[in-house]
Amino acid sequence: MPLPASRDITLIGAGLVGALLATLLAQRGFRVTVFERRPDPRVHGFLGGRSINLALAERGWHGLRVAGLTDAIAPIAVMMRGRRIHDAAGNTQLQRYGRDDSEVIWSVSRGQLNCTLLTAAQKAGATIHFGQRLEQIDWTGSRLQLHDDRDGCVRWHDAGVLLGTDGAGSALRQAMQATTDLGERLDSLGHGYKELEIPPLQQLPDAALTPALREAKARGEGFAMDPNALHIWPRGNYMCIALPNAEGSFTVTLFLPGTPINDGPAFSTLDTREAVQAFFARDFADAVPLMPDYLDDFTRNPTGLLATLYLERWHLDGRALLLGDAAHAIVPFHGQGMNCGFEDAVELADLLATDRGDTADVFAEFQRRRKPNSDAIAAMALDNYVEMRDRVDDPEYLLMRELERVLAARHPQRYLPRYSIVTFTRLPYAFARTRGEQQAQLLRELVRGKASLGEIDLAAADAAVAALAPLPAH
Ligand code: FAD
Ligand code: 8R5
């Protein structure tokens, strides 16, 4: 029996969110067609072969679980149990993210994750057309124009119900904007990023290694640093981070202002190899010997831009809806862009599958539920940049973290650090943000003028926590 027309859905973009959503919708009996600009990464490789990884947290795992994919991803995920902070002298220290190894985040290869999701979508029945770029939409005729990268031809297709999962630079968003004002605002952060690489230990020349690392290499060890951490080199207005890849390398990212702040380093002034070299030698001396190609990487790799995208409207009645980065691109500092997008996909698939009414109502309901949450994670991601680059080695901040652990242990029903709510639960981001503000206020008052945990009035702390509403079940 043919499916009714409303069961036909067209997705633009088969990135992380599009491929997961295609899987979820196909599994729920929708007829799903996806148009993806790039060639099939399972045939042609990914991003020129560079290893780029992402941090996967509970919200992201949940999306994979609903799609039945945890068993496919778990074997390629590397556990990160905390931040490993590298000070200027090269000493490191681990700050755990959670109570124990049940509260950790995971580093996953973007390419492998995307390939697994594409295969799952096709297995569930979705049709994916690669090398097909959305160019424009004829809204009156309900047709979309695609450019076929393989033969260079331009063709028109019936549009039907459109879902935009085509990322931060969304072509569908642009086409929607051409007919209706979506209330778009792009807030540029003024900082950019550059990706570098620490190769597997076995590929590093002995001459560059410390005696301890030379021994580790001789023992056959795979990683040049602690593999089970998210490494951070906090330096005030800028920082480096590194996430482990399963094969032994690390992807290092430098986050830096575009132009100087108080005469500090910036992308605009790192314009010669000598300037880059002097900067790294001064600020990231312990990482330099582990990155034999960093000068070439720095010159060759593009500088990424960082911005937050806000839209007042995500849909054109029942014809088109944006989700994932296309609707709400955020800065990366909470590692939640994909995690949030996966939450979008699960929510939308549920709404579409249970709804018997008008698609426009479903889209409006989706926006009503998700927008407060994407606004909240956008704000918390901005906060976390300051925390990562400037606060993680500050004594007052460390005392607040220490107190937070004590309070969470004493009052598990009432105190949960904001980082934990965001990362280890699926409580709404908007809840994490308001609760986080209340808790931060409480911590600030308790640590004011105090130098150590012993000086803090725990009875007063207990009373303050008791005044918070109990946490929802999670
Ligand atoms: P994308 O994954 O960008 O996918 C969009 C897809 O649409 C692409 O396949 C693209 O080719 C396709 N497309 C674009 N235009 C067209 C067109 N005109 N026609 C057809 N197809 C088109 N998030 C985390 O949660 N944790 C992390 O640790 C993390 N790290 C990140 C590291 C980096 C370097 C970057 C850049 C982002 C990171 N993010 C992370 C954010 C995360 O990558 C995004 O939030 C997530 O990929 C969004 O998924 P998406 O499907 O909406 O967009
Ligand atoms: N995205 C991340 C965190 C929080 C870590 C913490 C931070 C690189 C472009 Cl910057 C960043 C986090 O608070 O200790 N979890 O996961 C991922 C991050 O950056 C990713 C890799 C990134 C965009 C470049």
Side-chain angles (χ1 to χ4, degrees):
M1 201 180 72
L3 290 161
S6 65
R7 304 294 282 180
D8 279 319
I9 290 190
T10 302
L11 269 68
I12 308 298
L16 297 176
V17 176
L20 177 67
L21 182 61
T23 308
L24 296 172
L25 289 175
Q27 287 171 341
R28 281 157 185 72
F30 289 87
R31 248 188 18 214
V32 181
T33 306
V34 191
F35 295 107
E36 165 57 47
R37 175 176 64 181
R38 290 172 311 189
D40 187 340
R42 293 162 299 178
V43 181
H44 301 271
F46 212 83
L47 283 174
R50 273 202 288 155
S51 0
I52 301 293
N53 44 28
L54 301 132
L56 187 60
E58 173 54 23
R59 293 165 208 269
W61 280 116
H62 182 70
L64 297 174
R65 203 177 292 134
V66 174
L69 292 174
T70 32
D71 288 351
I73 301 301
I76 61 165
V78 183
M79 178 180 66
M80 298 184 289
R81 49 168 67 95
R83 303 169 170 157
R84 188 167 284 284
I85 309 294
H86 295 240
D87 70 18
N91 303 308
T92 80
Q93 182 204 345
L94 184 75
Q95 291 176 10
R96 255 193 187 282
Y97 286 132
R99 277 180 278 247
D100 53 41
D101 282 358
S102 69
E103 293 182 331
V104 297
I105 56 177
W106 300 83
S107 181
V108 179
S109 144
R110 175 192 289 267
Q112 282 182 284
L113 181 57
N114 206 2
C115 291
T116 302
L117 288 167
L118 292 171
T119 300
Q122 289 172 327
K123 229 160 103 186
T127 305
I128 308 177
H129 301 285
F130 292 95
Q132 305 283 327
R133 184 175 82 235
L134 175 67
E135 290 204 321
Q136 55 166 319
I137 296 182
D138 163 16
W139 294 104
T140 35
S142 185
R143 296 183 311 160
L144 49 90
Q145 190 186 68
L146 295 166
H147 177 273
D148 188 327
D149 278 349
R150 290 162 309 179
D151 60 13
C153 287
V154 166
R155 296 188 187 84
W156 289 93
H157 291 252
D158 279 341
V161 173
L162 289 173
L163 299 178
T165 48
D166 48 350
S170 172
L172 179 56
R173 187 176 74 233
Q174 206 183 327
M176 290 163 72
Q177 230 14 302
T179 168
T180 307
D181 180 15
L182 301 177
E184 177 176 332
R185 181 165 64 92
L186 191 69
D187 262 10
S188 184
L189 184 66
H191 295 229
Y193 69 92
K194 189 78 93 174
E195 281 157 352
L196 310 168
E197 200 208 1
I198 293 178
L201 180 57
Q202 296 301 323
Q203 289 175 26
L204 288 169
D206 279 345
L209 301 176
T210 60
L213 270 178
R214 223 171 293 153
E215 276 171 39
K217 184 179 171 191
R219 282 195 305 273
E221 284 183 24
F223 291 86
M225 307 186 297
D226 175 5
N228 296 119
L230 190 158
H231 294 259
I232 308 179
W233 290 258
R235 297 294 182 261
N237 280 322
Y238 53 96
M239 65 178 184
C240 272
I241 65 165
L243 273 69
N245 295 302
E247 79 273 10
S249 63
F250 288 84
T251 305
V252 177
T253 310
L254 166 69
F255 293 95
L256 187 73
T259 52
I261 300 175
N262 300 329
D263 282 332
F267 279 113
S268 67
T269 55
L270 292 181
D271 50 0
T272 61
R273 283 172 82 87
E274 292 68 33
V276 177
Q277 203 165 12
F279 169 59
F280 273 82
R282 188 193 68 193
D283 279 324
F284 308 110
D286 63 326
V288 167
L290 309 180
M291 302 191 292
D293 295 331
Y294 81 99
L295 280 171
D296 291 334
D297 287 349
F298 193 98
T299 315
R300 204 174 24 225
N301 294 343
T303 304
L305 302 174
L306 299 168
T308 309
L309 170 75
Y310 303 94
L311 300 183
E312 278 161 33
R313 279 167 292 281
W314 287 351
H315 67 110
L316 268 192
D317 45 68
R319 288 176 290 174
L321 170 75
L322 301 170
L323 66 159
D325 278 13
H328 48 69
I330 61 177
V331 296
F333 307 108
H334 225 306
Q336 288 287 318
M338 162 189 63
N339 287 283
C340 177
F342 280 11
E343 224 173 28
D344 282 359
V346 171
E347 184 99 56
L348 182 63
D350 282 349
L351 279 172
L352 283 168
T354 51
D355 190 84
R356 308 263 168 277
D358 196 0
T359 309
D361 295 338
V362 174
F363 288 179
E365 176 62 11
F366 175 79
Q367 177 177 329
R368 193 192 64 76
R369 291 192 191 182
R370 292 301 296 163
K371 180 107 169 61
N373 292 314
S374 64
D375 287 345
I377 190 58
M380 293 188 288
L382 283 162
D383 291 347
N384 215 47
Y385 189 22
V386 183
E387 175 158 335
M388 289 179 77
R389 70 184 197 219
D390 201 30
R391 298 272 283 141
V392 287
D393 50 1
D394 170 272
E396 185 188 46
Y397 170 82
L398 292 173
L399 181 57
M400 281 172 43
R401 291 260 325 185
E402 218 186 327
L403 176 59
E404 192 162 57
R405 288 177 102 60
V406 171
L407 296 180
R410 285 164 81 92
H411 307 282
Q413 313 300 332
R414 275 182 209 268
Y415 199 100
L416 192 57
R418 185 178 92 176
Y419 182 89
S420 299
I421 304 178
V422 168
T423 309
F424 307 132
T425 81
R426 287 184 285 120
L427 292 170
Y429 287 124
F431 172 79
R433 189 178 181 204
T434 45
R435 184 69 169 209
E437 198 33 63
Q438 294 163 359
Q439 294 179 165
Q441 177 72 26
L442 177 158
L443 291 178
R444 275 194 295 270
E445 283 169 17
L446 289 166
V447 306
R448 188 174 301 139
K450 306 289 196 309
S452 72
L453 207 54
E455 295 170 34
I456 291 171
D457 181 351
L458 272 187
D462 287 343
V465 173
L468 294 169
L471 290 163
H474 59 272

